[in-house]
Amino acid sequence: MQIAVLALQGAFIEHEQMLAKIGVSSFEIRQRRDIERPFDGLIIPGGESTVQGKLLRELGLFAPLKEKIEAGLPVFGTCAGLLLLAEKIENDTRSHFATMQMTAVRNAYGRQLGSFYTEAEFKGIGIIPMTFIRAPYIAAVSGEAQVLAEAGGHIVAARQKNQLVTAFHPELNEDTSVHQYFAEMVEQSRL
Ligand code: GLN
């Protein structure tokens, strides 16, 4: 199994380290020719969704990656990655890949609560640590998107078939269970 990590901006190294910890090999996508290598899954890291969206388009990565996601490539978006996958962003005129049936809210916790830590139940895993950094939350899911976790009264993780998103950063804690969960999704899609 080979997982590609989008490495244009943001917290991509931490995802690579998590994958290494669970014994999954990965490589970075930085330019168009990187996606010519075969890969079984894609991670879109946290960072700034506007910057990543702009770079994806400028580098000619946007259309081919959107096509792969629509064709069923397993994808895991954290934080800014969640925003890139959301069909609609409530407080932004832009949308990006827009492949996941949900409405997200950017910088949803305001300045005071911009960053915080909590622990909450993740469906199929149990109670896990959750670190939020200027995070979005999911205002609503529709269609085939399913809620996987809620914290503080908001949806913070969801799945739609091969697409997984978390508003928090599982790559910033020791706990590898969400990465394991994604690796299992990738494994299932290869069968
Ligand atoms: N606030 C960022 C955005 O709007 C997301 C923050 C993050 O990824 N940690 O893209």
Side-chain angles (χ1 to χ4, degrees):
M1 181 194 305
Q2 185 78 264
I3 294 188
V5 179
L6 189 66
L8 303 180
Q9 188 265 342
F12 51 87
I13 291 164
E14 290 82 353
H15 280 290
E16 292 164 22
Q17 290 166 347
M18 285 306 248
L19 292 171
K21 246 190 188 178
I22 61 167
V24 171
S25 66
S26 67
F27 68 94
E28 295 179 350
I29 292 181
R30 291 178 177 268
Q31 51 190 317
R32 184 68 178 79
R33 70 158 185 263
D34 296 332
I35 61 172
E36 274 143 37
R37 282 174 73 168
F39 53 100
D40 309 298
L42 171 69
I43 291 184
I44 308 176
E48 273 304 313
S49 54
T50 46
V51 177
Q52 290 191 39
K54 185 168 176 277
L55 290 171
L56 278 166
R57 288 172 176 93
E58 283 174 7
L59 294 164
L61 287 166
F62 185 80
L65 286 179
K66 181 171 163 72
E67 207 171 289
K68 282 179 190 287
I69 296 166
E70 282 170 344
L73 174 76
V75 61
F76 174 22
T78 55
C79 205
L82 176 156
L83 291 164
L84 288 175
L85 292 169
E87 190 169 61
K88 194 169 179 298
I89 304 174
E90 204 171 88
N91 51 348
D92 198 328
T93 50
R94 279 159 295 214
S95 65
H96 303 278
F97 291 128
T99 47
M100 213 166 142
Q101 291 174 289
M102 61 183 181
T103 300
V105 183
R106 270 191 87 189
N107 299 327
Y109 298 92
R111 277 169 182 253
Q112 295 305 317
L113 272 176
S115 302
F116 61 98
Y117 173 85
T118 190
E119 289 174 7
E121 174 85 18
F122 189 105
K123 207 173 167 189
I125 299 179
I127 306 270
I128 58 162
M130 298 179 177
T131 298
F132 293 82
I133 302 170
R134 288 174 47 76
Y137 62 65
I138 301 166
V141 296
S142 64
E144 291 181 293
Q146 308 276 337
V147 174
L148 290 180
E150 289 180 63
H154 297 295
I155 304 167
V156 295
R159 176 173 176 181
Q160 179 183 320
K161 290 185 175 163
N162 280 343
Q163 302 184 70
L164 173 69
V165 291
T166 62
F168 56 93
H169 288 268
E171 77 284 7
L172 298 181
N173 294 101
E174 293 292 300
D175 180 67
T176 55
S177 57
V178 180
H179 286 78
Q180 206 102 43
Y181 181 97
F182 180 60
E184 275 159 34
M185 279 172 61
V186 175
E187 192 56 49
Q188 285 301 317
S189 82
R190 276 156 47 96
L191 299 177

